[in-house]
Amino acid sequence: MTVFNNRISLVALACAFASPTLFAADSSITNPTISAVLNGYYQTAERPLAETAEGFGLGETELAMSANIDDMFYGKLTAVVEMHDGETELNLEEAFIQTMAMPAGFSIRGGRFLSDIGYLNNQHLHTDSFTDRPIAYRAFFGGHYFDDGVRLNFVAPTDLYWTIGAEAFKGDSMRAADEHGEREFKNVGVYTLYSKIGGDIGDNSSWQAGLSYLRNENGQVTAHEEGDEHAHEVVEEGHDHSHAASYTGKNTYGADFVYKWAPNGNYKYQNLTLTGEYYRVTDFVPADLHPEDAPSKDYHQGWYLSSVYQFTPSWSAGLRYGEVDTQELHGEHFHGQKLKESEVSLAWHSSHFSSVRFQYTNQKGTNFDGIEDDNVFTIQYIMSLGAHGAHQF
Amino acid sequence: MRINSNVVKVAAAALSFACSGFAHAELNVFACEPEYAALAKELAPNASIYSATTALQDPHQVQARPSLIAKMRQADLVVCAGADLEIGWLPMLQMKSANAKVHSTEQGLFFAAEQIDTLDKLASVDRSMGDVHAKGNPHIHFDPNRVLTVAKALTAKMSQLEPSEAANYQKSLADFSSRWQAAIPRWEEQAKPLKGKKVIAYHTSFRYLFNWLGIEQVADLEPKPGLAPTSGHLASLLSRAEQGDIFAVVVASYQDERGAKWLGEKANLPVVMLPMSVGGNDNSQDLFSLYDSAISLLNGVK
């Protein structure tokens, strides 16, 4: 996933993207849309499986370029610069093409892109109303699941929005731990299926509901040799930045919904968003595990509910509660563990393009990274430069 | 707002899609704003027309919501103001709806602002100026002469998409043009007392109306385009108003009245809420009554 691991100059990167004459407001064949997102924070404590470390830090600094390639194809490149442990890493989060002229509501996307499972997953982190993804996303998808692969999508010609899609991915970041490098992994590791429906309720409300299934051929843990302390070093070592899923299994089932409300459908002054997602990961137990070592629950699960209320054009407040309930392999035994996160955020928006956010998180853990009852305070800014593309519902 | 979308029509459209050739498929129009839904209705009375927004919604801040994706998926023609007014949501709808027919202005996509010269084009744009449009002011539907030019171009577009109906579209255009051209001098006569009046308004929503009728907008409730009025900015407007030459404070039907009301009370100025588009008040049922209503509301000041 890491393309370069060298120290690089942001300026050089920007210049590599485009000559200054390309910085125009319009997006066309000769004028790609170019944008950058700046993101920085201060956080009083570490959160498990999160991308943000304690203290001062930079979040994902994003550089994106997109344009219609011709009348048949659209292309987008999103590079993400991350700093940690004194290293600057450049990752490609998106590098995809999408068909624009297929008939009958079909489209194909190929390359590296965000999977369309769930509600939050296909959205960029900087559009979130909280400083990190819900714990369920951090545990099961490495924050957000993007990968190299292909997608076929269909939109039905109905007044009720209905879309259905299937994806196939390499799945490297979704592989079960393989400390000894002895396992044979399949090249195409992940397949997904998803469907979403949505519509309006009068002039004030809109909604969308989705179901998703993720098949992970390489997600089931294999039996470990003696001396294996932990199946998931990623978790035990804490901050890793690998974007890899920490808890995997063969099958992941998801359900999601979002409801948005604004008076007369006018989002300018006030609006409310309610979101919830649930994931269950099954078939993670090694096939040859002794029955007496089987975990008390044969699934991991996680969910969250969040509500964000924008009460003036300049201020919004959010509440989120999320849980994960997972089984961790220690030697030959599984130990149950649980984390609950309650969060409040308050954001000030000077304009559409800049936000400063204050967030309080209470983490209550049971056997989870030694967390018992932690309080985390975060202050964060997220600002976008240039012609930023539209955001999804 | 849904124009001409009663259950029978929707069912008929669905049926004709399901069994193509079953009936004559009428043009399926997706309008970004209600003024273009109304114009499409004048030019194609039999078309199935859907408006993505209402006059009570800020067209800059529309969500690319599922219902709009579903409607665009079925559209033969997408009619929008353009000049980047819909830049925050139209590209997302185009991508998500996977409808190749409406991706390009060479086919079923139509931007009104591309048919005319916009006012206030900017040579250079910087975000510190607020949410401005380099391609000029996109709220062009309150200039009757520009509307007429747009109507002609839209008729050509509809004829291009449905050559067999071209004669009917020309007939509708001729009918609309004659009624519209008859109305223009009447409106201008009615609005004569407004000429030279100075107003403070919210955003540049009525730039074309004021330009047409000779009204001068001397200050804006927004400190910068897209930004909400601040108390400091309102205070500066109050001192401007104290010069005593302001006729009224004008806001559009989707804009927040609070700043305008505060200023109106402090400076003892009337506050007028004008319909931003068709459906913006009870009297504005089509483009004609929209103009009638806006001019009579301005004439009704004090």
Side-chain angles (χ1 to χ4, degrees), chain A residues 323-334:
Chain A
E323 280 187 19
V324 282
D325 188 355
T326 55
Q327 302 292 321
E328 178 97 338
L329 190 59
H330 290 266
E332 293 185 333
H333 304 281
F334 280 93

Side-chain angles (χ1 to χ4, degrees), chain A residues 269, chain B residues 200-202 220-223 227-231 233-235 237-238 249-251 255-267 269-271 273:
Chain A
Y269 300 104
Chain B
I200 294 176
Y202 198 130
D220 198 319
L221 283 159
E222 289 181 327
L227 298 185
T230 57
S231 48
H233 182 64
L234 286 173
L237 294 182
L238 181 57
V249 182
V250 177
V251 295
Q255 288 159 350
D256 187 3
E257 271 187 298
R258 273 176 299 180
K261 277 187 168 157
W262 180 91
L263 184 63
E265 277 168 28
K266 295 280 177 192
L269 286 172
V271 176
M273 179 173 274

Side-chain angles (χ1 to χ4, degrees), chain B residues 158-170:
Chain B
M158 287 171 164
S159 304
Q160 176 201 332
L161 295 177
E162 261 193 327
S164 61
E165 292 290 305
N168 286 333
Y169 291 134
Q170 282 302 332

Side-chain angles (χ1 to χ4, degrees), chain A residues 268-269, chain B residues 35-36 55 57-60 81 85 119-120 131 133 136-143 199-212 217 219-222 225-226 250-256 272-277 290-291 294 298:
Chain A
K268 187 180 172 85
Y269 300 104
Chain B
E35 57 267 24
Y36 297 108
Q57 297 171 356
D58 187 335
H60 303 82
L85 177 62
L119 295 175
D120 307 332
D131 195 5
H133 302 282
N137 188 315
H139 312 288
I140 59 175
H141 61 286
F142 266 114
D143 180 323
V199 296
I200 294 176
Y202 198 130
H203 197 66
T204 48
S205 302
F206 297 108
R207 176 77 175 90
Y208 291 87
L209 180 71
F210 297 157
N211 181 61
W212 171 43
Q217 179 173 341
D220 198 319
L221 283 159
E222 289 181 327
V250 177
V251 295
S253 47
Y254 67 78
Q255 288 159 350
D256 187 3
V272 193
M273 179 173 274
L274 297 184
M276 187 62 210
S277 186
L290 172 67
Y291 276 49
L298 285 170

